[in-house]
Amino acid sequence: MSDPLIEAALAAQQRAYVPYSRFRVGAALRTVEGMVIAGCNVENAAYPQGACAEAGAISAMVLAGGTRIAEAVVVGDSAAPCTPCGGCRQRLREFAVPGMRVRMVDGTGRVLLSATLEELLPHSFGPDHLPG
Ligand code: THU
C-alpha cells in the first residue's frame, strides 16, 4: 500500500491512548500546503475530557502552520466504517476545502467508505456565517 495519508492514519492509530474504550482511532489530514498531519484519540479518566483523533490532528495541523484540509482519512477498530463523530464533523468543517473528502479505512488500509464532508454534515454552519 502506498497512500501516505492512509499510512499516516494507520501509524497514528497505533499511538492511541484508549484504556477505557479500547477503541483505537487514527486520523490523518492532507493540507492544501501538502503537509500530512496525524492524530490519535487520547482518553481520560474523567471520560468527557477525552479527545478524538480528528481533534488531535487538527490541533497539530494548526500548530504546524497548516491552514486548510484538502483530504482526510480516519481508521477505527470497528468492522463498520469509523465515521467522524458529530463534533469532529464540525471541527473538520472549520478547515475543509469545498468538496473535501473523508475516507474511512479498516486496519489494513482498505477503504470502507468515502464521503464528502458535505455529505457527512449537510447544511453546515461555518466561518462564512459570521460577520467580519
Ligand atoms: N473516536 C474518535 O477518536 N474519532 C471518531 O471519529 C469517533 C470516536 C474515539 C473517541 C473515544 O476515544 C473512542 O473513539 C470511542 O468512542
Side-chain angles (χ1 to χ4, degrees):
M1 193 211 332
S2 59
D3 185 315
L5 206 56
I6 292 178
E7 296 283 5
L10 292 175
Q13 186 191 25
Q14 299 307 309
R15 297 286 191 186
Y17 174 76
V18 290
Y20 308 107
S21 74
R22 306 277 175 200
F23 189 80
R24 294 180 177 274
V25 183
L29 314 173
R30 184 168 56 80
T31 74
V32 294
E33 293 86 8
M35 290 187 273
V36 170
I37 308 272
C40 61
N41 54 337
V42 179
E43 297 183 344
N44 193 281
Y47 290 3
Q49 303 308 322
C52 285
E54 296 91 329
I58 289 170
S59 292
M61 181 196 80
V62 171
L63 181 62
T67 58
R68 306 276 283 164
I69 303 169
E71 190 187 355
V73 168
V74 181
V75 57
D77 271 340
S78 49
C82 182
T83 49
C85 77
C88 284
R89 294 177 197 205
Q90 184 65 36
R91 290 187 181 94
L92 291 166
R93 164 68 177 88
E94 184 74 14
F95 298 100
V97 300
M100 189 202 89
R101 193 159 281 278
V102 183
R103 284 180 293 159
M104 288 135 274
V105 307
D106 68 13
T108 71
R110 190 168 63 96
V111 177
L112 299 175
L113 180 66
S114 175
T116 64
L117 190 63
E118 283 83 354
E119 289 169 335
L120 294 170
L121 190 68
H123 306 291
S124 65
F125 184 86
D128 292 346
H129 286 88
L130 299 176

